[in-house]
Amino acid sequence: MHGAQALAAHLALSEDEREGITRASFPASATPYYLSLADRDDPWCPVRRQIVPSTAETRRGRGELADPLGEDRDMPVPGLVHRYPDRVLFLATSRCSAYCRHCTRRRRTGAPGASAGALERAAAYVRAHREVRDVLVSGGDPLLLPTAHLTRVLRAFRSIPHVEILRVGTRMPVTNPFRVTGELVAALRRLAPLFVITHFNHPKEVTAQARAACEALVDGGIPVENQTVLLRRLNSSSRILGDLFRRLLTMRVRPYYLHQMDVAQGLEHLRTPLEEGVAILAALRGTISGLAIPHLAVDLPGGGGKVTLQPDYLVSLDARQAVLRNGRGKTYRYPQPVERDCSCPYESTFYGSSEVR
Ligand SMILES: *Cc1c(COP(=O)(O)O)cnc(C)c1O
């Protein structure tokens, strides 16, 4: 049993959820493990709301787009998004172990997988573009691929001399932590420097099993970072997110991004006003470890790329002094230095005259 039937068997579904499942245009499915974290009776359970469709998904909100980040336009070859000069995103599969209701790539997620030859074409593109140093492999969830297949994908990029960093975006430590085996960790370690970017959204997801998976990766020499999606009424609270970020840090997972929800179709009910994320960051700054505070990222609709927002602490600034306020609203003066020349005399000695890539 899987998909919508499993949801119905394990949860006391509300009328709205039942109708949401029937009308959903995007697969409803989760692993038995992740489903076991969902509250059987409370439709507001944050795990449950991430996997059970509601009728709100069928509504079309103002400004929503099928391809909210304009990725399809920045795809020089199928499955490869090249938006920033030095980084590319490769969509290795379109399937996931659990389908997040807030999926931004719902236009393609769950649809038939990558076309044959996509990997070869993507690797050839990166090989021909010497400015690319960072390859982010995502999907779908690349850890859904058998380890041998995943290794083949990653090696195709690792073998390119100018590629410095690999990243793997996966939700498996959250939805199926048992996928993180010793065999997988050893295979990923051989591809270093490789970062795993995972996706925890709520403290309820930080279980003993999830912790074991993250710690196995870190102990195995693989740095793990996390991206959280800000979800209205699921985690849009400084108490919930502060708790999540602190728990992540105790398993040596660095909170990297807090994502403002993209304007994908049918997700307006999960979107927060922009100022809410800024207010949450302001509440966290100074009250929890700076190591636990992510960047608040807004991926601009239509393909403008990511920008970050932060509370504004600058009150005024001129050549003589700056006035800043701290998180408690008190203002402080910062005297500017008299000398303003910031060029580094040793720079050209260190790098020589050639342009550093
Ligand atoms: C987010 C993203 C990246 C990676 O951006 P970082 O800020 O370096 O994490 C790369 N390519 C695309 C298309 C992205 O959306």
Side-chain angles (χ1 to χ4, degrees):
M1 183 168 56
H2 79 293
Q5 289 156 323
L7 298 180
H10 287 85
L11 306 170
L13 295 175
S14 70
E15 200 54 54
D16 184 79
E17 288 172 321
R18 224 181 291 280
E19 195 182 334
I21 289 173
T22 316
R23 292 170 61 190
S25 57
F26 173 71
S29 180
T31 58
Y33 163 81
Y34 195 64
L35 188 51
S36 77
L37 304 183
D39 193 302
R40 192 187 163 279
D41 297 307
D42 192 340
W44 280 105
C45 166
V47 169
R48 175 159 163 168
R49 287 194 78 84
Q50 287 181 70
I51 51 177
V52 182
S54 73
T55 57
E57 279 182 38
T58 61
R59 293 203 286 268
R60 286 290 164 268
R62 191 157 43 100
E64 287 181 347
L65 302 166
D67 178 15
L69 309 180
E71 291 181 332
D72 294 343
R73 261 175 287 151
D74 277 342
M75 246 182 227
V77 298
L80 190 83
V81 185
H82 191 185
R83 163 149 313 146
Y84 307 104
D86 62 330
R87 284 155 284 168
V88 294
L89 165 66
F90 180 60
L91 306 175
T93 171
S94 54
R95 292 188 312 123
C96 280
S97 62
Y99 289 96
C100 306
R101 298 330 298 170
H102 54 280
C103 183
T104 188
R105 230 166 259 136
R106 57 208 288 119
R107 72 187 182 283
R108 49 186 294 147
T109 311
S115 55
L119 175 63
E120 287 68 25
R121 290 183 65 189
Y125 177 90
V126 172
R127 203 173 276 282
H129 286 79
R130 297 207 41 222
E131 68 275 22
V132 176
R133 329 175 209 221
D134 187 334
V135 178
L136 171 45
V137 175
S138 184
D141 195 323
L143 262 54
L144 209 57
L145 302 172
T147 303
H149 183 166
L150 175 66
T151 307
R152 200 169 340 113
V153 171
L154 293 167
R155 257 207 232 110
F157 297 111
R158 177 83 291 165
S159 66
I160 300 170
H162 56 265
V163 170
E164 297 169 359
I165 302 291
L166 298 177
R167 298 191 235 183
V168 176
T170 175
R171 212 172 181 203
M172 218 56 104
V174 183
T175 56
N176 181 18
F178 316 105
R179 172 68 182 94
V180 182
T181 58
E183 180 212 25
L184 176 73
V185 173
L188 295 179
R189 178 65 183 85
R190 280 193 289 274
L191 295 153
L194 177 150
F195 290 71
V196 164
I197 317 285
T198 187
H199 178 179
F200 286 87
N201 286 334
H202 195 279
K204 202 176 178 187
E205 296 167 340
V206 184
T207 62
Q209 294 90 338
R211 180 176 287 276
C214 292
E215 290 184 340
L217 287 163
V218 180
D219 284 346
I222 299 149
V224 183
E225 314 263 329
N226 184 72
Q227 350 196 37
T228 293
V229 177
L230 186 51
L231 297 159
R232 193 172 72 90
R233 309 195 78 189
L234 274 70
N235 64 9
S236 50
S237 139
S238 59
R239 172 156 75 152
I240 293 171
L241 288 180
D243 182 24
L244 172 65
F245 299 153
R246 275 189 289 114
R247 289 192 207 207
L248 290 171
L249 205 58
T250 64
M251 32 190 216
R252 287 167 287 162
V253 174
R254 249 316 280 280
Y256 175 45
Y257 276 136
L258 173 62
H259 288 286
Q260 175 69 25
M261 174 70 68
D262 296 330
V263 293
Q265 279 173 359
L267 297 188
E268 186 171 316
H269 61 294
L270 294 172
R271 274 201 288 137
T272 51
L274 274 178
E275 57 272 30
E276 189 65 27
V278 177
I280 288 171
L281 282 196
L284 295 180
R285 178 62 66 189
T287 63
I288 68 170
S289 169
L291 276 175
I293 302 183
H295 304 286
L296 173 60
V298 186
D299 220 330
L300 301 174
K306 292 183 191 67
V307 296
T308 55
L309 295 182
Q310 50 276 312
D312 191 4
Y313 299 109
L314 196 58
V315 176
S316 69
L317 175 69
D318 60 36
R320 210 171 54 81
Q321 72 168 8
V323 177
L324 301 103
R325 60 169 188 85
N326 70 5
R328 274 169 256 111
K330 266 187 82 176
T331 57
Y332 296 83
R333 284 171 210 294
Y334 177 89
Q336 296 268 50
V338 175
E339 295 292 346
R340 301 184 66 86
D341 179 4
C342 294
S343 60
C344 298
Y346 195 68
E347 188 170 333
S348 56
T349 309
F350 187 72
Y351 291 114
S353 55
S354 66
E355 189 65 30
V356 172
R357 213 173 65 79

